[in-house]
Amino acid sequence: MKEWMSEKAMQIFGTEYALQSVKRLLGGAQKHTYLAKCVNGFQFVLYQWDKSTTCFENDDENQWFSSNSAALFQNNNEWMRKHGILTPKLFYMDRSRSDCDYEYAFVEYIEGRDMDYIMEKEPERQQAVLESLKESIGRLHSIKSEAAGQIGRLQGPDFDILAFALEDMHKNVQYLQKEDKDYAYAYARVEEKAREYADRLEKRNTYTFIHGELGPNHVMVDGDNHAYLIDIEGARYDDVEEECSFLDMRFHSMLGKPEDTLDEHRMHFYHIGHCLGNLCGAVQLRQKGYYDMDDVNGMIDFFHAQIAAII
């Protein structure tokens, strides 16, 4: 990889940007990332997308709300930066597969730590980082659309986002009942709860642009406490409660109330979806032998407890 990528880096950045080293960065479950260092000291991140780079089953970029696609990254990066939302700059994207058998991008390297680290190891920085993060969330959620869906492929007026969410939950329940049999009854009960909440909800005609899976692990913090949103492929127009219920689960009360008006029934409905979806993902990571099994097992225990609390 290094030889052809060094040539490409010199084409994009200049002849003084020959590569010195390329090192795999761990942590991604849907794409591979590498830290590339140039001989002149410049660093950037190489993103690599291919079916072989995802740990998840049924991870089809043609799904309505897929979160694994170079095209989605490119579209969302351009859109978010246009609206003043902090996310690493895209330097170069190649989706042709002419150099290699995968799609790839050169992306700005944010020298710093993710927010998980800040919260655990450097709590004195937390408030400043939260202020930066809240500003980006505010800008994100100020972007509205009359149609749900992703940039470049919005859904038509007949698309029912609640029915889609219910179908997604049903698929996850079927998978979990097969792979995690000890909790099969709990999964059936929690799906019933989701349908009860859905029966109280009405379809909307205005949707909010959301990140889709915004937790502390998807926030990179630089030395000046600026919070950059990463892993943005899943960004889309959706119910704002889909995002806020996830923020509640991942940040608890640290962000305050990101929206003035939230539908509590929708919050509960999407919370169930997050629990099932994230547990499904964790079980798949366990089956794939993910490198950090302590983290995976912790996720499984956490979402088992969440589901028990729901029912």
Side-chain angles (χ1 to χ4, degrees):
M1 177 189 295
K2 181 180 175 183
E3 182 177 349
W4 71 260
M5 192 167 67
S6 185
E7 293 177 0
K8 182 63 69 173
M10 288 189 287
Q11 290 176 17
I12 302 305
F13 301 119
T15 55
E16 67 273 26
Y17 289 84
L19 286 184
Q20 183 179 69
S21 64
V22 178
K23 179 182 179 182
R24 173 79 187 274
L25 298 173
L26 296 177
Q30 291 186 289
K31 61 180 176 287
H32 288 173
T33 56
Y34 301 83
L35 178 61
K37 295 183 180 182
C38 301
V39 293
N40 63 355
F42 179 73
Q43 300 182 85
F44 65 92
V45 180
L46 169 69
Y47 286 10
Q48 175 186 330
W49 291 270
D50 186 69
K51 289 189 180 298
S52 66
T53 65
T54 180
C55 295
F56 301 130
E57 297 178 9
N58 303 318
D59 190 14
D60 183 356
E61 66 181 72
N62 294 314
Q63 291 177 355
W64 279 330
F65 291 159
S66 167
S67 60
N68 182 32
S69 161
L72 291 173
F73 176 86
Q74 187 171 22
N75 290 343
N76 292 333
N77 184 274
E78 179 182 352
W79 190 242
M80 290 167 72
R81 289 180 63 83
K82 177 181 177 180
H83 285 83
I85 298 159
L86 289 181
T87 191
K89 182 180 179 180
L90 173 62
F91 295 125
Y92 176 75
M93 170 73 75
D94 191 329
R95 297 173 51 207
S96 69
R97 299 180 183 257
S98 59
D99 292 325
C100 52
D101 58 358
Y102 49 81
E103 299 174 324
Y104 67 93
F106 293 173
V107 180
E108 179 184 9
Y109 171 61
I110 304 301
E111 188 168 3
R113 299 281 190 171
D114 69 18
M115 198 165 175
D116 270 329
Y117 181 91
I118 302 297
M119 291 163 57
E120 181 180 354
K121 302 292 187 181
E122 299 178 347
E124 69 279 4
R125 300 176 61 193
Q126 180 174 294
Q127 191 55 43
V129 175
L130 285 172
E131 290 304 315
S132 175
L133 177 59
K134 285 191 282 188
E135 183 176 351
S136 281
I137 292 173
R139 292 181 179 182
L140 194 74
H141 290 177
S142 70
I143 308 170
K144 306 292 183 180
S145 170
E146 294 181 358
Q150 297 166 315
I151 300 296
R153 53 181 185 185
L154 296 176
Q155 302 303 308
D158 294 333
F159 179 72
D160 187 336
I161 203 166
L162 299 173
F164 172 81
L166 277 173
E167 179 61 24
D168 193 51
M169 292 183 210
H170 180 64
K171 290 177 182 177
N172 286 334
V173 165
Q174 287 184 312
Y175 174 83
L176 289 167
Q177 286 179 323
K178 177 182 176 183
E179 303 295 338
D180 195 22
K181 293 183 175 63
D182 290 344
Y183 290 84
Y185 174 75
Y187 298 138
R189 286 289 296 122
V190 81
E191 184 179 5
E192 289 177 12
K193 285 283 188 182
R195 294 189 182 280
E196 289 173 11
Y197 283 121
D199 287 342
R200 306 174 193 177
L201 303 177
E202 295 183 358
K203 184 181 176 182
R204 284 178 172 160
N205 55 18
T206 302
Y207 300 93
T208 298
F209 197 63
I210 68 171
H211 178 282
E213 49 180 342
L214 187 54
N217 58 319
H218 289 161
V219 179
M220 283 298 299
V221 182
D222 69 11
D224 294 319
N225 295 324
H226 297 134
Y228 289 76
L229 309 190
I230 62 171
D231 288 342
I232 60 173
E233 289 93 322
R236 61 189 182 271
Y237 290 104
D238 205 325
D239 281 336
V240 69
E241 289 86 356
E242 214 278 1
E243 181 108 289
C244 290
S245 59
F246 192 76
L247 293 174
D248 275 356
M249 186 168 63
R250 297 292 277 114
F251 289 96
H252 306 291
S253 60
M254 288 186 292
L255 287 170
K257 194 173 182 181
E259 296 292 327
D260 293 332
T261 304
L262 293 170
D263 184 328
E264 287 302 314
H265 292 311
R266 269 183 167 81
M267 290 287 283
H268 293 307
F269 174 74
Y270 285 115
H271 174 71
I272 292 173
H274 292 313
C275 290
L276 291 171
N278 283 274
L279 181 54
C280 191
V283 170
Q284 290 183 45
L285 290 176
R286 183 173 62 185
Q287 291 176 332
K288 296 282 187 178
Y290 191 63
Y291 78 96
D292 190 349
M293 289 306 297
D294 287 341
D295 185 46
V296 169
N297 289 327
M299 288 172 59
I300 291 172
D301 290 343
F302 174 81
F303 287 112
H304 278 161
Q306 291 287 305
I307 285 172
I310 292 167
I311 62 175

